[in-house]
Amino acid sequence: MTLGFAGDLGTLDEEGYLYLRGRLKEMINVGGEKVSPHEVETAALSMPDVLEAAAYALPHPTLGESVGLTIATRVPDQEEQIKAFLKTQLVDFKCPNTITVLDQLPRLANAKVDRVLLKREGMQALVARTGTQAAASAPMSPIAKTVSAQWIHTLKCRPPVGLDDFFDMGGDSLSATQFLLSLEKALKRDISPNELFENPTFSGLVESLSKTTQGSVKTEGRAVRFVRQNMAGWPGSVMLSGGLMHGIGSLKSGAPLFWACQDSAEIQSIVDTIGRDRPLYFSGSLFKFPDRKVADFELLANQLAMEIDTLQPSGSISLGGFCGGANVMLHTAERLRDLGRDIRVLLSLDYWPDRVATSPTIHCISRCPKNSVRMIFPRFDLALDVVHPSGSKVIEIDSDHQFMAADLSPHVTQLIAAIDGTTPLPKPSQQSQAHWDFERRLQAPKAEIAILSAPRFYKKSIKGTVRAVVTNKSDQVWEKSELSGLCLQIDLVNLDGHTREAGAGYALWDKPIAPNESIEITLDLSFPNKRVPFWISFCLASQGLTRFQSKFSGAKRKLVVPSL
């Protein structure tokens, strides 16, 4: 077989297999879309006067990479004609931005085409076209000397020049971080963790660092800087200069989805499910951020809201996030609404808000005992309309505190319908107008709880019965649980204070309880299958929001130990 750039590969023998595998590694990533060099070369070779063709990746400031093409042709000065022809053969993002024409393609000693040389010449042509090339012989500036010194120290390599690429010379994510930290100390200034990923060439990095002086460098808020540092090396392309949002599939035509991740591992699950047919833009969250406060969430939300408003300047916006990422996007939705933007939907994976959420929301809720609201509050649905006045939907997913593609796949149709706006979310019912409002539900009720009976000893996995009396000691009527969200909840708590089982039992009241009126409750509880002592904790709870565990609200507990 003939191993050219785009000729007939013939029978796929072992050599052909190795050839194709090598070509797959050369895939060009244009804004998250994979472009095969072979496809571009085949299109170019279909022109009568083109003899050889080689496609390769060139850097792009927003898309990450663009397509470069070098051809050998019988007729010179055909760049514009070739560009026009390829536009009829390829979709826009596959068309080369830069075309270099040679008499013949350079080859190595083994007769293979010298792709490294072609790419280097293509980059030089790109730089010449955009007017950013500095003369190689020009004296080095102080910044260039500093960059060169730290580059050599980190990579243990020759002095870099011009279009030398940090990663092509042996750099990786770890060495990039070390390089930037040493460069920050040497220049005595803050440097964005994305600086090197956006400007990996020596000349590009020097030029970027030279645009701002030490005195003009803006120190970012600690929350934004934390996210930026954590996202260094994440997949996708940085969409805006100095921004946080990375993008995958930014050229796709579907409604965009903006996502906040706890870490980069969850990105692929979103790409494979609800993000597969649309532009996906994502940021990190404040996961593992020390001593985080509401102000930190608001600072990050301000940054993300400005970026989202720029990336999608019109139309309704779809947001989403997992756990703390959903919390970030809840704050971001509020900032976007301040900018006059409409939020189509907020997808919340295992996060339940501690305040009113003004955006239509879909909750995907796991069965994790620690993080899932349905495990902590058995009747969280009693708070649904109060927390979500603009509409909501709950999807219960039988998984732990993680959402892999397999967990989301059964629900993709309805999630995509919400993102695209084809299916509106259910609005609160008319009955909800009689519900206690959010603020009243958080007010601790004055109550008294008397434990009538509870076991002192238990056997493993055996049920036990508890009886209690709850008395309304306030001067207000407690509406029935359906309207107030108020009920008695029983948790099993370890001696160290850790909740072993939240919502082990609960009791609703189906009628109002007037001041000084009491209600007697009997519940059966399932005890642990381990021989450990624990507390049976009795308290009033506002389902879906909070437990009232003070003496003011009558909270009581009873110690239970395993029987001999």
Side-chain angles (χ1 to χ4, degrees), residues 25-63:
K25 292 181 179 179
E26 299 166 2
M27 295 292 281
I28 304 166
N29 188 343
V30 181
E33 297 284 356
K34 297 295 189 293
V35 180
S36 166
H38 179 76
E39 181 181 1
V40 178
E41 294 158 1
T42 300
L45 287 169
S46 64
M47 290 190 71
D49 293 322
V50 175
L51 303 175
E52 293 181 295
Y56 41 82
L58 291 177
H60 191 279
T62 58
L63 298 178

Side-chain angles (χ1 to χ4, degrees), residues 449-453 466-470 488 519-522 538:
I449 299 175
I451 302 174
L452 299 181
S453 65
V466 298
R467 293 173 55 240
V469 171
V470 179
L488 176 69
I519 181 172
E520 184 172 329
I521 294 164
T522 301
F538 297 75

Side-chain angles (χ1 to χ4, degrees), residues 3-7 19 23 38 41 45 52-55 105 113 115 118:
L3 294 182
F5 282 109
Y19 170 79
R23 297 310 305 273
H38 179 76
E41 294 158 1
L45 287 169
E52 293 181 295
L105 301 189
V113 173
R115 284 185 169 273
L118 286 180

Side-chain angles (χ1 to χ4, degrees), residues 147-460:
V147 172
S148 178
Q150 299 305 325
W151 188 301
I152 295 169
H153 175 75
T154 303
L155 297 183
K156 306 294 189 289
C157 65
R158 62 169 173 78
V161 294
L163 294 173
D164 281 340
D165 188 292
F166 182 88
F167 299 100
D168 287 346
M169 294 181 71
D172 54 24
S173 296
L174 179 59
S175 58
T177 301
Q178 295 170 342
F179 171 62
L180 291 177
L181 289 174
S182 64
L183 202 55
E184 279 189 336
K185 292 180 181 179
L187 295 176
K188 297 180 180 179
R189 55 173 288 184
D190 290 340
I191 299 176
S192 165
N194 284 327
E195 187 75 61
L196 186 58
F197 290 94
E198 295 174 356
N199 305 283
T201 64
F202 175 71
S203 58
L205 181 60
V206 170
E207 181 180 356
S208 177
L209 293 175
S210 300
K211 288 179 180 178
T212 54
T213 63
Q214 178 180 344
S216 65
V217 173
K218 181 179 179 181
T219 302
E220 293 179 318
R222 65 184 196 125
V224 174
R225 182 164 178 78
F226 171 84
V227 173
R228 192 185 302 280
Q229 289 173 334
N230 277 7
M231 291 185 68
W234 276 27
S237 306
V238 179
M239 301 310 300
L240 300 173
S241 177
L244 296 178
M245 281 280 180
H246 289 211
I248 292 178
S250 57
L251 299 179
K252 293 180 179 179
S253 58
L257 175 61
F258 297 91
W259 198 266
C261 307
Q262 293 286 74
D263 60 54
S264 61
E266 73 188 73
I267 296 172
Q268 194 59 49
S269 295
I270 304 302
V271 170
D272 291 342
T273 53
I274 55 179
R276 63 190 175 207
D277 296 321
R278 67 190 69 254
L280 175 64
Y281 303 107
F282 51 89
S283 163
S285 68
L286 296 182
F287 180 54
K288 294 186 178 180
F289 183 60
D291 301 322
R292 59 191 180 191
K293 299 177 175 60
V294 173
D296 297 312
F297 282 93
E298 292 178 346
L299 182 67
L300 177 57
N302 287 338
Q303 173 74 25
L304 296 182
M306 289 187 292
E307 293 187 34
I308 292 170
D309 189 48
T310 302
L311 291 168
Q312 187 185 335
S314 62
S316 297
I317 297 171
S318 297
L319 307 171
F322 166 59
C323 195
N327 189 8
V328 168
M329 280 309 187
L330 178 58
H331 284 274
T332 303
E334 293 165 355
R335 301 289 79 76
L336 286 167
R337 289 174 66 89
D338 292 341
L339 295 173
R341 301 304 301 274
D342 175 62
I343 306 302
R344 176 176 291 154
V345 69
L346 171 64
L347 303 182
S348 173
L349 275 57
D350 247 8
Y351 171 75
W352 189 260
D354 57 1
R355 60 195 185 283
V356 174
T358 54
S359 303
T361 304
I362 289 185
H363 285 285
C364 294
I365 304 176
S366 76
R367 52 176 169 75
C368 173
K370 182 179 179 180
N371 301 96
S372 169
V373 67
R374 69 169 160 142
M375 304 301 290
I376 298 171
F377 294 107
R379 290 303 307 274
F380 70 92
D381 58 292
L382 295 178
L384 198 61
D385 288 352
V386 176
V387 175
H388 298 292
S390 297
S392 61
K393 183 178 181 64
V394 173
I395 299 174
E396 296 187 2
I397 296 180
D398 191 24
S399 70
D400 292 325
H401 189 54
Q402 59 182 353
F403 291 87
M404 309 301 291
D407 300 317
L408 293 175
S409 293
H411 313 284
V412 161
T413 300
Q414 54 185 317
L415 293 175
I416 287 178
I419 296 171
D420 293 337
T422 57
T423 303
L425 300 186
K427 295 291 182 69
S429 64
Q430 291 295 321
Q431 184 187 9
S432 68
Q433 296 177 4
H435 286 183
W436 285 11
D437 63 23
F438 185 85
E439 294 301 326
R440 187 177 179 189
R441 289 181 183 233
L442 292 181
Q443 294 175 6
K446 188 175 182 180
E448 182 179 284
I449 299 175
I451 302 174
L452 299 181
S453 65
R456 294 181 58 188
F457 304 97
Y458 78 95
K459 294 183 179 180
K460 293 191 300 181

Side-chain angles (χ1 to χ4, degrees), residues 135-152:
S137 59
M140 292 180 71
S141 67
I143 288 181
K145 291 179 180 178
T146 303
V147 172
S148 178
Q150 299 305 325
W151 188 301
I152 295 169

